[in-house]
Amino acid sequence: MRNEQEMLTLITQTAIEDPRIRAAYLEGSRVNSKVPADMFQDYDVVYIVNETKSFREDKTWIDRFGERLFMQLPEENVYYPSDVDQSYGWLIQFADGSRLDLHVSLIASVQNRMDLYRVLVDKDGYFPQTEQLSDEIYWIQKPTEEEFLCTCNEFWWCFDNAAKGLWRDEMPYVMDMVDFNIRPMLKRLLIWKIGIDYDFSISAGKAGKYMKKYLPDDIYQRFLDTYARPEKTAVWTAIFKMCELGDAVAKEVSDALYFNYNEAEAINCMSYLKKVQKLPADAQTFD
């Protein structure tokens, strides 16, 4: 695997030698000193250009970056429409293990969304400063009471759907409900707890990936225990663990931020879940 200096030299030299490229900067984890460094960090690079067409029409220019195993062209994905004249990218996994997320972009399309960056090349004086390395924009934001209450309500309400899906033995639906509707609310509560513990001056990372670092070990393990294989008994067990953890953390957040918390909603939801769990598969009434 090429080291960082080798990769940055190649990226920078390409920008210097190609007259179509007017500037280049590095963004993402490699310019954030608070992110643990490891070999799997991407090289997130933007080349500032006056047009993207020539780069798109003859893609052989990226061959110089190394042997590719596979790549993605996000702007050509039918599910994510974009303006290819403004920005176009190549997400490349190389055979040596390095990964480059490279975009060619017009300056107007990027200048208002540059948060953390280090300038590598600037032929035309686009950038008033050579770097911006504060990650404050990614710090956990203190919630409003309304945001807290809506999160709790969504957390408890969606268990209703998971419960009836379990009774119907509709496991794909259940797993989606648990992982894509309930779990994000639980993670949000846990991230707010981290914010409280660290005075809302840190980031929990994309998708809460640094939760292990900032949560107490027992809380983090309880969170991991809410993941279950798609089997009815295991999912029921995980659901009640989610309920107990969510309720405990919601109380902690509400106490710390002096918010109201609808405990009756939590109690009633857990009571309802226990009743559904005990229903026979051929039940005709809820009694």
Side-chain angles (χ1 to χ4, degrees), residues 56 59 73-80 82 84 88:
R56 290 185 280 119
K59 296 182 175 65
L73 305 176
E75 279 71 32
E76 294 190 13
N77 190 314
V78 297
Y79 296 107
Y80 304 102
S82 57
V84 298
Y88 189 87

Side-chain angles (χ1 to χ4, degrees), residues 176-191:
D176 272 12
M177 187 57 57
V178 169
D179 287 332
F180 301 129
N181 294 86
I182 300 171
R183 189 175 305 285
M185 300 302 104
L186 178 58
K187 289 174 69 174
R188 187 180 294 167
L189 289 169
L190 288 165
I191 288 170

